[in-house]
């Protein structure tokens, strides 16, 4: 009975593979960035029915990967190409790519990528039904995943290995692999793969004839399936498997109920026609075995039509075999032989050897003429299959033995490694202790020397501070005397000289009552001169008072006041341009005083001699320089070398005091422009210099 229905198990395993995708998780494959390899892969996957163009892209990608100078980059590209098997469709080229990926990942010791490369190789062999090679590659990948403690990936590989073992009837090994996979999936709580594991375990137990255990495992699969957000098709698949179980137990009524549930699942024909056709064929077979042949023929024909349309060659062979059984039951021997031969052809085409065995057995009974020939074929194929199964089982057992031996060697090596590690730790501890002792002695000696130097430096600093305080006190006394003297002179000028000048002006004002024109003119001229002297003395008085404190507050306001005062007496337009966000009062007092005097002198000269209607002043400042530009639109003059008036000499003298430079540009009828460049002293630097000189005392 086991052999008779093994083809159904294989079909269900195939369906199971469709649900449980063999594609690896995205988290464990090389990342695809916008590099050339990724672009070529994407472009190649989009090409349909043009293998030549696809092969050109593949060869270009391989050449590009091979030209990379860094092994890590080269390994990444080869792993990426190995993973995308739809792009690397050329079998020979894929083997070259995968071999390089494995070799490079071993060289750079990238264990996770190495395991993935073995996984790629296993899928490649599994695709072409090279079971022993696929099992070996899966086994290599699983060992690495287990060593890396990648529990879920290890479980997935065990599940793939179990499927291969079922196909070669290594049921004990397959059961062991599935149970181990279930243990790992339970650790991670992955309900999807727990569902797949119990479903596969149910198929395995049914193949062994353990029907009660099989039904229990199917129910467990349905339990885990209830937690997943799937449509009813996955449930229908498990129900179909339960129907096969009841069919094998010859409980045809229960089997028919389950198959009927499958085919009545909503939209199953449109969305899952292969599953629908399998359930339909199973339903017809169970009705036949229960001797209820009503509508069986039409059910078989519908199942055969769908399988033919879906190109289910292996499954179609089973349907034709079951249909020939129905025809035998209907005593239509000729039609039964025709259907059986169709099953034979399809079995050979799809290499469905289990159905082929059953078909030859049936033909040996039906076709009396060729009965002996079919019987001999049956015996020969059955013996060949048994030998091949034993050979494969022995080969897989040897692979498992080598794996166990490898694990044992690793355990022994790990034990030796632990002993050596402990010994190395002891020697490291001794060496570390000696090093720390020497370091401690060095630190103590060094710290003592540093402490002595620190005490000396502190004492020297205290002495320097005392000297600095004495010098500062002396400077403050000198500055105080200077300020008092300046204040006294200011008061004398303001209260003494200014008062006398005011009295003289008042006397002259009285004399101005004379009516002669000459007297009036002379007196007016004298009064004007006295008034100028009065203003000059007042300005000197204020400046001396300001100089006492080395600061002119609201420097720009003073300039504006100077310009506004002149505009009340003379018809002239003045413009003063400066950056209002700049702190002009932070300039040194000497700079502000001399700049003010130069501007005053220049402005008066422009009023008296230039005959201008516009006078403009511009202030510009950088970290190192204060720039003043004064211009008018007057008559100008021709600059004659060697001849300098008192105004120019005053400007030169004041600029020299400030270590600055100045330039005058003038031409007849084009006005005059005077530019001053005054360096700005950095007070903080001067203080640092003083401190440096002080510390060297």
């Amino acid at each position: 009975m086991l052999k008779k229905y093994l083809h159904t198990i294989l079909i269900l395993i195939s369906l199971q593979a469709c649900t449980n995708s063999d594609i690896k998780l995205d988290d464990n494959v090389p990342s695809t960035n916008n590099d050339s390899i990724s672009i070529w892969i994407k472009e190649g996957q989009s090409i349909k029915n043009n293998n030549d163009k696809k092969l050109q892209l593949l060869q270009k990608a391989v050449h590009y990967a091979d030209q990379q100078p860094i092994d890590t980059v080269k390994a990444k590209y080869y792993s990426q190409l190995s993973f995308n098997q739809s792009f690397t469709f050329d079998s020979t080229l894929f083997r070259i790519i995968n071999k390089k990926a494995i070799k490079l990942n071993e060289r750079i010791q990238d264990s996770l990528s190495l395991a993935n490369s073995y996984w790629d190789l296993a899928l490649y062999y599994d695709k072409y039904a090279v079971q022993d090679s696929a099992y070996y590659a899966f086994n290599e990948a699983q060992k690495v995943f287990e060593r890396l403690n990648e529990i879920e990936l290890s479980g997935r590989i065990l599940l793939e290995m179990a499927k291969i073992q079922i196909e070669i009837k290594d049921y004990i090994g397959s059961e062991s692999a599935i149970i181990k996979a279930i243990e790992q999936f339970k650790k991670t709580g992955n309900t999807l793969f727990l569902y797949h594991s119990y479903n596969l375990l149910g198929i395995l137990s049914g193949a062994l004839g353990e029907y009660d255990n099989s039904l229990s495992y199917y129910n467990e699969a349905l339990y885990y399936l209830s937690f997943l957000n799937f449509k009813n098709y996955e449930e229908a698949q498990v129900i179909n498997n339960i129907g096969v179980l009841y069919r094998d137990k010859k409980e045809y009524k229960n089997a028919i109920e389950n198959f009927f549930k499958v085919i009545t699942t909503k939209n199953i024909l449109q969305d899952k026609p292969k599953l629908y056709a399998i359930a339909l064929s199973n339903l017809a077979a169970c009705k036949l075995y229960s001797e209820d042949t009503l509508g069986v023929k039409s059910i078989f024909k519908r199942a055969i039509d769908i399988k033919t349309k879906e190109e289910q060659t292996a499954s179609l062979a089973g349907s034709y075999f079951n249909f020939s059984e129905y025809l035998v039951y209907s005593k239509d021997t000729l039609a039964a032989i025709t259907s059986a031969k169709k099953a034979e052809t399809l079995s050979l085409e799809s290499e469905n050897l289990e159905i082929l065995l059953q078909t030859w057995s049936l033909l040996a009974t039906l076709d009396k003429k060729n009965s002996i020939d079919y019987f001999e074929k049956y015996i020969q194929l059955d013996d060949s299959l048994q030998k091949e199964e034993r050979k494969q089982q022995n080969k897989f057992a040897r692979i498992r033995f080598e794996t166990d031996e490898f694990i044992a060697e690793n355990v022994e090596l790990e034990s030796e490694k632990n002993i050596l590690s402990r010994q190395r730790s002891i020697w490291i501890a001794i060496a570390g202790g000696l090093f720390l002792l020497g370091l401690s002695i060095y630190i103590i000696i060094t710290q003592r020397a540093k402490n002595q130097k620190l005490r000396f430096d502190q004492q020297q600093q205290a002495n320097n501070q005392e000297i600095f305080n004495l010098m500062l006190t002396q400077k403050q006394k000198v500055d105080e005397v200077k300020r008092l003297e300046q204040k006294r002179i200011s008061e004398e000028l303001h209260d003494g000289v200014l008062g006398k000048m005011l009295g003289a002006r008042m006397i002259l004002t009285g004399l101005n009552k004379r009516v002669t024109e000459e007297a009036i003119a002379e007196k007016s001229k004298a009064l004007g001169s006295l008034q100028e002297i009065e203003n000059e003395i007042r300005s000197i008085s204020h400046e001396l008072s300001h100089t006492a404190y080395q600061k002119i507050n609201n420097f720009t306001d003073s300039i504006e006041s100077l310009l506004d005062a002149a505009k009340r007496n003379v018809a002239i337009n003045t413009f003063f341009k400066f950056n209002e966000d700049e702190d002009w009062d932070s300039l040194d007092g000497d700079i502000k005083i001399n700049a003010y005097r130069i501007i005053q002198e220049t402005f008066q000269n422009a009023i008296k001699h230039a005959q201008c209607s516009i006078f403009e002043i511009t202030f510009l400042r950088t970290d190192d320089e204060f720039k003043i530009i004064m211009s008018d639109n007057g008559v100008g003059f021709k600059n004659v070398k060697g001849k300098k008036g008192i105004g120019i000499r005053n400007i030169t003298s004041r600029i020299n005091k400030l270590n600055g430079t100045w330039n005058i540009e003038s031409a007849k009828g084009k006005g005059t422009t005077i530019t001053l460049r005054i360096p700005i002293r950095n007070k903080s630097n001067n203080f640092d210099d003083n401190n440096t000189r002080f510390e060297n005392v």
Side-chain angles (χ1 to χ4, degrees), residues 226-239:
S226 66
F227 292 101
L228 301 172
N229 187 23
F230 282 141
K231 295 183 179 179
N232 295 329
Y233 308 137
E234 285 72 19
E235 183 181 358
Q237 180 180 307
V238 179
I239 293 172

Side-chain angles (χ1 to χ4, degrees), residues 146-164:
E146 189 169 18
R147 187 169 69 247
L148 295 174
N149 202 30
E150 293 285 349
I151 298 174
E152 189 163 299
L153 295 176
S154 174
R156 290 185 62 180
I157 297 297
L158 286 168
L159 212 56
E160 297 297 332
M161 293 166 66
K163 291 178 186 178
I164 296 175

